[in-house]
Amino acid sequence: MPLLPPSSDRRLPLLYAIILVDVIVGTAVGPVLPEFVRGLPRPQLWLSVGTGLFLGVQLFSAPLLGRLGDGYGRRPIFILSAVGTLLANALLLPVRTGLYFVNRVSDGLTNGMYATVRSAITDISPPERLFRNLGIEGAIISLGFVLGPMAAGIMLTVLHVPPAQQATYVVRLALALAALNVALSLWLPETHAGRGGVRGAELRAELAASLNPLTLWARLRAKDQQNPGIRRIVLTQVALTLSTGYYFYFVPFASLGPLHLDARQISYFFMYFGALSVGLNYAFYTFLADRLDQRRAIVWLAALGTPVLAGYGLMGTSKVALYALVTADCLTLSLIQGLLEGRLARRTTEDDRGEIFGLNQAFQSLASFGTALVFGGLSVLDLRLPWAWFALCLAAVAALAAWPEPAEGPGPETTPG
């Protein structure tokens, strides 16, 4: 139940603002990250290692933050995450390789807040608006992919920043935005009414369980026995996460591969990618998502997106092909994430929402860590090979979603618009 009257409830807009600024911070520094490993042998491998560290630590931080959010509320988690992002980005001010790896670990520790984000949105969303609100979250993330590189690109262009100083300028911009997110998080009202605290023994048990994938699997299976279908959705999200590892691979591929894009060109690409994605996501989740059979939509979007991912590895030096493929990308696989999140959200309750979303993000972090290792190793052999891996994983999404599963408990598979 809302803690504030709907007319005065600022929580959803603030949640969207926090998500937007957080994504801008991460995507703004993306185009300059190659500078931190430029002098190392096989820099694409070291960028992949950094990505693996960033995502791997979320294996235990996401369930832990989700459990803390269930016990103490969502607001303290947002504040903790915002402060952690600010401190992590401060480590990047001296452009040093060692500090880049420290940043990846420290930033990953608090980036597990996205389980809390989805829990908070679900807390305050009536059932008939749940898909729309989670879909808008996906559109907001896409908008961040526009504004982050755009802000970095505009700053570098307008200020005529020489290449040797570009990383420092972009990190300073990210620090200013991270400080803004601390203020927004402090202003956010609580969304979770059923707070009962968490005992130290429970947290230690949560941490130990989070570090053991077998224990995570047992917990997921137990949740699936209580509400059949949860495990299938989580496994489908794992396969999707394996395929969307290309988001992290694209910068090293574009800068070090046949395209040889510089920081400005990468920024312009993500501006187009994000702008198109946010428009399509908003239209899809506002007008179509609730009118579709979501499971079948996932099957078709994944099947149509599979050759798109394979195509990235075959486009050579053609920028026309790059922009054609990313347009098809936005029309297919980029629409899947919100559908899966909405289907999972419908199977949660107020008591276990943070825990389930935390488990889900933990499995996604494990998948992200694994796919980073795979694409890092494949890129050493040939920079085009990881795209075959991403395409196979997306094909697995279609296969998993096509398999029939039990009907959802809290609501029907499709709802009238």
Side-chain angles (χ1 to χ4, degrees):
M1 294 294 293
L3 302 180
L4 295 171
S7 60
S8 63
D9 194 343
R10 64 178 184 266
R11 294 172 298 175
L12 192 59
L14 267 175
L15 282 169
Y16 289 154
I18 289 168
I19 297 165
L20 177 62
V21 175
D22 186 72
V23 177
I24 290 173
V25 171
T27 57
V29 300
V32 299
L33 288 181
E35 294 302 316
F36 288 84
V37 296
R38 184 75 65 179
L40 297 178
R42 301 192 183 278
Q44 72 272 22
L45 176 61
W46 292 109
L47 277 175
S48 300
V49 169
T51 300
L53 290 171
F54 172 71
L55 298 168
V57 296
Q58 294 176 43
L59 175 63
F60 64 88
S61 69
L64 195 62
L65 291 176
R67 183 70 185 89
L68 287 169
D70 283 343
Y72 295 106
R74 320 298 185 201
R75 182 174 178 268
I77 305 304
F78 284 111
I79 296 171
L80 175 66
S81 298
V83 172
T85 297
L86 177 65
L87 296 177
N89 278 278
L91 293 169
L92 293 177
L93 268 180
V95 183
R96 301 286 187 272
T97 300
L99 291 176
Y100 161 71
F101 291 113
V102 177
N103 161 271
R104 296 291 80 192
V105 172
S106 58
D107 200 15
L109 286 172
T110 53
N111 202 62
M113 76 162 190
Y114 280 88
T116 305
V117 166
R118 285 144 198 159
S119 296
I121 292 173
T122 306
D123 287 340
I124 59 177
S125 297
E128 67 274 10
R129 295 180 66 86
L130 183 58
F131 266 96
R132 181 179 183 275
N133 290 347
L134 286 172
I136 291 174
E137 178 223 359
I140 291 291
I141 291 174
S142 297
L143 181 61
F145 273 95
V146 180
L147 297 181
M150 181 177 71
I154 290 174
M155 182 184 66
L156 296 177
T157 301
V158 172
L159 299 181
H160 303 288
V161 180
Q165 298 180 30
Q166 287 181 354
T168 299
Y169 272 72
V170 171
V171 171
R172 288 173 180 168
L173 172 65
L175 278 171
L177 293 171
L180 171 62
N181 232 11
V182 174
L184 291 174
S185 300
L186 289 168
W187 193 28
L188 176 71
E190 183 54 64
T191 68
H192 180 43
R195 304 185 298 277
V198 184
R199 291 177 297 179
E202 292 176 334
L203 285 181
R204 288 191 293 273
E206 183 75 39
L207 180 59
S210 300
L211 291 171
N212 187 339
L214 294 178
T215 304
L216 287 173
W217 177 255
R219 291 172 63 190
L220 179 63
R221 192 167 64 179
K223 290 295 179 184
D224 189 69
Q225 290 173 349
Q226 297 171 12
N227 193 335
I230 285 179
R231 181 170 54 178
R232 177 63 57 80
I233 296 172
V234 170
L235 288 176
T236 307
Q237 284 205 311
V238 165
L240 181 65
T241 302
L242 291 171
S243 70
T244 54
Y246 83 96
Y247 291 148
F248 300 97
Y249 179 63
F250 189 85
V251 169
F253 175 76
S255 60
L256 303 172
L259 290 167
H260 291 295
L261 302 184
D262 60 23
R264 285 189 181 92
Q265 290 172 319
I266 293 173
S267 296
Y268 297 150
F269 168 78
F270 277 109
M271 287 164 58
Y272 175 78
F273 189 0
L276 183 60
S277 182
V278 70
L280 290 172
N281 268 269
Y282 182 81
F284 179 77
Y285 284 101
T286 300
F287 302 111
L288 288 176
D290 282 336
R291 295 175 170 85
L292 299 172
D293 182 319
Q294 287 90 23
R295 185 173 65 85
R296 289 184 180 178
I298 292 167
V299 173
W300 279 104
L301 291 171
L304 293 171
T306 297
V308 175
L309 288 184
Y312 282 121
L314 302 174
M315 64 186 172
T317 60
S318 173
K319 293 182 176 63
V320 173
L322 170 66
Y323 279 87
L325 285 167
V326 80
T327 301
D329 185 332
C330 291
L331 289 165
T332 55
L333 68 120
S334 294
L335 299 173
I336 297 173
Q337 183 67 38
L339 292 173
L340 285 171
E341 289 176 5
R343 298 190 72 226
L344 184 63
R346 282 182 171 177
R347 296 181 183 273
T348 66
T349 67
E350 186 173 334
D351 292 334
D352 65 2
R353 187 163 294 142
E355 181 184 2
I356 289 176
F357 276 117
L359 279 171
N360 182 53
Q361 190 169 349
F363 276 103
Q364 288 180 286
S365 299
L366 182 61
S368 296
F369 179 71
T371 200
L373 294 179
V374 171
F375 72 64
L378 291 175
S379 68
V380 173
L381 301 174
D382 190 314
L383 286 169
R384 297 168 296 180
L385 282 177
W387 296 106
W389 162 254
F390 299 138
L392 286 172
C393 293
L394 190 59
V397 172
L400 283 166
W403 194 270
E405 62 184 33
E408 294 182 10
E413 178 68 14
T414 51
T415 57

